[in-house]
Structure formats: structure tokens, C-alpha cells
Amino acid sequence: DVLDPERLIQCPLVKHHLIRARRFPYHLVKCKESNPEIAKKLATCPFNARHLVPQADLSDHIMKCNDKAFVEQDVVSRSCEPPQEQLNNGSTWQAPPCAEDWETELLEGSESTFVW
């Protein structure tokens, strides 16, 4: 199962490293630091930072990457028009109600003064 956090994934830097999926991002950072010469030869996929491929194979990987569909879908959904209510009002943001009343506090006076 691709979503199983306990499944084992092979490290792209050191092939005999098998890491649980939930620990994989942390392992990549540490393994890159421990193996800088190998890391220089690998490129990171623009769609998924967990995909490290040889630099010469990056363009081929980009064409075939399964995560590309998620990014493309996100771009399409963001390019859709905003809801009609936002177009009519401009902004829908409203300030939250304020429970403070500085004038009353000033008139009542403060029992203690603040000293730094």
C-alpha cells in the first residue's frame, strides 16, 4: 500500500538502506549530509522532493512522474474563478469583535504602574 507509513522504501543514495516511509524525508536529509559526493550526482524532482534521480535522467523522470498529476490538478483548481460573492464585495474579511475598552481602562486608572 502506497499510503502505508510502515512500508519500506529503498534510499536513492545508498541502495542497501531500507527506510520506513514515515521516516524517509528525515533519512534523505541525513543521508545527503553523510554522502555529499553521491548527492551531487542526483537531482530532486520538482513535483516530489522525495524523488532523487540521476541528473541525466531528470527530464525523463519529470515526464513520467506520478506526482505531476497532483500538481497539475492543483494549478487548474487554483486558476478557476473565485466565488461570485468575492467578486461582488471585493474582500470578505471582517475584523473580529474587540473586548477591550481602552477609554474605560484609562478613566478607571490602573492600580499598579508598569516599570521596566
Side-chain angles (χ1 to χ4, degrees):
D1 182 17
V2 177
L3 300 177
D4 180 16
E6 297 299 318
R7 80 181 189 287
L8 294 176
I9 300 174
Q10 184 180 35
C11 175
L13 292 137
V14 180
K15 299 298 180 191
H16 68 269
H17 289 174
L18 292 176
I19 303 93
R20 295 195 193 290
R22 63 186 163 90
R23 296 290 308 158
F24 192 69
Y26 306 103
H27 175 81
L28 282 181
V29 171
K30 290 288 189 179
C31 206
K32 280 183 185 179
E33 291 173 358
S34 299
N35 301 288
E37 293 302 315
I38 298 171
K40 284 184 203 174
K41 298 175 186 174
L42 298 177
T44 303
C45 171
F47 304 115
N48 187 334
R50 296 176 184 187
H51 296 171
L52 296 177
V53 295
Q55 290 181 351
D57 299 339
L58 182 61
S59 59
D60 185 47
H61 173 82
I62 288 172
M63 297 298 290
K64 297 176 182 176
C65 183
N66 292 335
D67 293 326
K68 182 166 94 171
F70 295 118
V71 173
E72 289 173 344
Q73 183 180 17
D74 188 45
V75 168
V76 169
S77 67
R78 288 183 185 203
S79 66
C80 294
E81 292 183 28
Q84 192 64 32
E85 63 205 27
Q86 285 184 349
L87 291 175
N88 294 339
N89 301 356
S91 175
T92 59
W93 183 84
Q94 292 181 357
C98 182
E100 295 179 342
D101 186 1
W102 293 358
E103 286 78 22
T104 306
E105 290 176 16
L106 185 62
L107 293 174
E108 292 174 354
S110 178
E111 300 284 323
S112 63
T113 57
F114 176 78
V115 179
W116 187 266

